[in-house]
Amino acid sequence: MQTEHKINLMGLSPEEIQDIVVQMDEPAFRARQICSGIYRRHALSWDHLTDLSKSLRQKLCEKYEVQYPLAHQAFQSKDGTRRYLFGLGPQEWIESVFIPEDSRDTFCISTQVGCAVGCLYCLTGKLAMRRNLAAGEIIGQVLALLKDRETPSKRLNVVIMGMGEPLFNYDNVMKAIRLMTDARAMALSPRRITLSTSGVVPGIRKLALEPVIPNLAISLNATTDKLRDQLIPINRKWKISELMEACRSFPLEKRQRITFEYVLIAGINDAPEDARRMVRLLAGLKQKVNLIPFNEDPRLPFTSPDEERVLAFQKILVDRSITASIRRARGADISAACGLLAGREIRNPSQ
Ligand code: SAH
Ligand code: SF4
């Protein structure tokens, strides 16, 4: 990310940028201009920050740069979804997905190169965990997608649901979220950001104490520990009861709810009994459910239930007054659907 001699400002907080500015004997308000240039106007070159004096731009240019992941390739789906492949370093591929909807655009971003959790239904989980992304690489994906978007006036949603387990990269993910929401940086409402976790209970408890809290989504995917232990190996450490307890004490604003994602896998977790157990688990929680029919891939050992079974599962929840939507795969023709992000490692070179 960083050229040899220059320091990359991308991902630095307004306070850190202020320290740099003050060290250069410049007035503090210059830091605000730099932050706004980087995070709002998406400047990549000091020359574009014309509100700074020429001499300051010169000084900045000598020691500092603004670098964020540049897309190596983009794949366009016929439904408008775009998958971006970023090369961060040798063998370090990550992907982000742009999903246009009627009233908003959703950006799905990654937090790690690979993932250590290894869920059985997920392609990312088949990759070795290589490294955590830096804060600048996380927010940088949002900036890279913003730069490429043709509909700047649409509302923006960021979902931290790409490659990696965000709560295993806690500090960098939180720093990126703070930058996305900081009025001096991107100024996005925390309600427009959703973080999805496979159930890292200590991370959920820590997140609950943060001054800025995004929406929380939990990948539940099983209603018994026996099955969840198999599908999501970290369940052996943090059981469903502990996970639900952390959700119960998670602070929610008025009308805010926790989303429970549930990947429906044929013959594994899609029986009416699973739906009924889910109803019992969710009792008393402010929640909504997102049912995700399993996205198939030859390298994954499962299949998707047929439509009838998905609707029957949904009906059991809806009949008990649970809001349960079905997440239809977007970008299926370009392998951009949930669980199919895998960087370049296990794709054909042409993909
Ligand atoms: N690591 C985080 C966020 C990324 S995964 C997490 O696990 O929550 C985003 C969502 O995709 C999760 O809800 C996950 O359960 C789902 N998912 C993974 N593989 C899938 C597949 N093959 N089909 C459908 N959804 C899948
Ligand atoms: Fe990691 Fe999430 Fe995939 Fe599980 S579903 S392997 S936690 S990215």
Side-chain angles (χ1 to χ4, degrees):
M1 280 271 300
Q2 205 164 293
T3 47
E4 250 173 72
H5 50 292
K6 292 193 185 178
I7 297 169
N8 187 7
L9 296 194
M10 174 55 57
L12 296 196
S13 66
E15 290 76 16
E16 289 168 321
I17 292 179
Q18 180 159 330
D19 287 347
I20 288 174
V21 164
V22 168
Q23 267 173 29
M24 292 169 97
D25 286 331
E26 291 283 340
F29 75 89
R30 293 289 184 209
R32 285 200 294 278
Q33 290 174 312
I34 294 174
C35 271
S36 138
I38 296 177
Y39 295 118
R40 288 211 203 187
R41 286 178 283 143
H42 323 146
L44 272 176
S45 149
W46 297 121
D47 289 339
H48 295 155
L49 296 189
T50 45
D51 50 347
L52 302 180
S53 69
K54 219 172 169 179
S55 65
L56 175 55
R57 275 186 272 155
Q58 194 93 48
K59 273 203 284 181
L60 283 166
C61 189
E62 281 161 20
K63 266 178 88 176
Y64 303 100
E65 64 183 1
V66 183
Q67 287 268 335
Y68 53 82
L70 291 177
H72 175 81
Q73 260 175 307
F75 306 85
Q76 176 78 41
S77 160
K78 50 183 187 293
D79 70 14
T81 304
R82 255 201 307 272
R83 171 167 65 85
Y84 292 85
L85 177 68
F86 297 94
L88 303 180
Q91 304 300 314
E92 293 180 349
W93 299 99
I94 57 152
E95 298 189 302
S96 318
V97 185
F98 166 77
I99 309 154
E101 291 165 275
D102 290 340
S103 59
R104 59 180 189 186
D105 286 333
T106 297
F107 290 2
C108 176
I109 59 170
S110 294
T111 54
Q112 298 182 309
V113 182
C115 184
V117 181
C119 302
L120 292 194
Y121 43 78
C122 171
L123 266 194
T124 309
K126 289 199 164 293
L127 303 174
M129 160 62 187
R130 286 189 185 273
R131 69 168 175 89
N132 284 330
L133 298 194
E137 292 169 321
I138 298 169
I139 193 171
Q141 295 166 65
V142 177
L143 294 172
L145 268 59
L146 273 175
K147 247 183 168 0
D148 210 39
R149 173 169 87 142
E150 290 121 28
T151 48
S153 58
K154 269 211 210 160
R155 275 200 314 188
L156 175 64
N157 260 8
V158 175
V159 297
I160 305 175
M161 295 187 184
M163 297 166 66
E165 167 48 60
L167 296 181
F168 279 155
N169 183 13
Y170 191 92
D171 292 341
N172 295 346
V173 168
M174 274 322 294
K175 189 170 186 192
I177 291 174
R178 280 195 290 274
L179 278 170
M180 286 179 217
T181 54
D182 194 312
R184 296 162 296 178
M186 256 172 97
L188 206 64
S189 157
R191 299 290 289 268
R192 311 223 65 86
I193 303 173
T194 301
L195 180 152
S196 173
T197 177
S198 54
V200 182
V201 169
I204 298 170
R205 293 199 188 283
K206 204 165 159 195
L207 186 64
L209 304 173
E210 292 285 345
V212 176
I213 306 181
N215 296 313
L216 180 64
I218 305 285
S219 300
L220 187 62
N221 299 352
T223 53
T224 64
D225 282 320
K226 189 163 177 261
L227 178 61
R228 205 167 189 274
D229 281 353
Q230 283 171 18
L231 292 179
I232 310 178
I234 61 162
N235 193 72
R236 294 173 203 154
K237 199 158 178 187
W238 300 296
K239 298 288 174 201
I240 295 177
S241 57
E242 244 185 288
L243 175 59
M244 300 313 287
E245 186 43 47
C247 291
R248 274 176 220 291
S249 43
F250 196 77
L252 294 171
E253 284 174 20
K254 230 173 146 184
R255 286 203 289 277
Q256 194 178 18
R257 304 189 233 174
I258 296 177
T259 303
F260 286 87
E261 298 162 282
Y262 194 90
V263 180
L264 281 165
I265 308 173
I268 303 286
N269 66 357
D270 62 340
E273 191 44 40
D274 292 294
R276 285 192 280 271
R277 265 195 300 266
M278 188 156 176
V279 171
R280 289 197 287 276
L281 278 177
L282 300 185
L285 262 163
K286 280 172 72 187
Q287 40 69 17
K288 59 184 171 190
V289 170
N290 215 217
L291 299 173
I292 317 174
F294 174 70
N295 292 310
E296 296 182 0
D297 184 278
R299 289 154 291 185
L300 295 172
F302 303 119
T303 55
S304 186
D306 58 33
E307 181 74 8
E308 219 175 294
R309 196 126 163 119
V310 172
L311 293 175
F313 197 98
Q314 181 190 34
K315 186 166 186 305
I316 293 172
L317 301 179
V318 172
D319 285 349
R320 309 296 197 288
S321 305
I322 292 176
T323 306
S325 54
I326 298 172
R327 190 189 292 171
R328 298 289 168 194
R330 295 290 306 264
D333 54 336
I334 53 158
S335 306
C338 297
L340 301 190
L341 301 182
R344 220 182 179 187
E345 261 171 282
I346 55 179
R347 287 191 199 290
N348 299 327
S350 62
Q351 284 185 304

